[in-house]
Amino acid sequence: MARLGQQERTPLSVRTTERSGWAARAVLTTAVLVATSALAADVIDPNALKRLVHQDCGSCHGLSLKGGLGPDLRFDTLQHYNPEILTGVILDGIPDTAMPPWRPLISEEEAEWIARYLLQPEAQ
């Protein structure tokens, strides 16, 4: 029992166990968050990517993708390209042009989805 003016001390073994329990929970929580984020990043959201194409790409290529600052992105214009070529252009841009690299903003899988989307005649 503590005397007046003195605090009761918790044994070192209890304090160490409490700290290690807190640390273990913090590590576990972080691992779960990282794993969840990684799984979420792997999921393709077609509606979000369609919006990206028509809004972000459309700001240079025209909202109907018929061309503007950038060239026409409709099927008739792009049908002779391989999806891999278009994916590379989307990810890395075209040097010395207004086409920026999107690699810092989207995944390779998302760029592949966009390339395949642009090569579908009914998509636009």
Side-chain angles (χ1 to χ4, degrees):
M1 179 181 260
R3 292 186 176 167
L4 187 60
Q6 291 182 339
Q7 291 181 338
E8 188 172 324
R9 294 189 171 207
T10 306
L12 180 59
S13 62
V14 172
R15 285 184 282 164
T16 304
T17 303
E18 287 173 355
R19 285 186 193 146
S20 64
W22 176 88
R25 285 191 300 274
V27 169
L28 182 60
T29 301
T30 302
V32 168
L33 289 174
V34 168
T36 303
S37 298
L39 288 174
D42 290 343
V43 176
I44 298 290
D45 182 351
N47 291 327
L49 291 175
K50 287 177 189 177
R51 276 192 306 277
L52 179 108
V53 168
H54 290 279
Q55 292 176 2
D56 293 296
C57 301
S59 65
C60 290
H61 294 278
L63 294 177
S64 60
L65 306 179
K66 293 179 182 179
L69 173 64
D72 188 333
L73 292 183
R74 293 176 297 166
F75 171 76
D76 291 339
T77 307
L78 298 179
Q79 65 182 332
H80 64 280
Y81 286 102
N82 292 331
E84 295 79 24
I85 298 292
L86 292 178
T87 299
V89 169
I90 293 165
L91 288 171
D92 301 322
I94 301 175
D96 302 321
T97 71
M99 179 62 189
W102 285 84
R103 189 178 294 276
L105 303 171
I106 63 173
S107 69
E108 203 163 315
E109 292 78 17
E110 290 169 322
E112 289 171 5
W113 188 95
I114 292 169
R116 294 186 190 290
Y117 173 73
L118 292 172
L119 292 172
Q120 295 175 2
E122 64 279 353
Q124 290 119 41

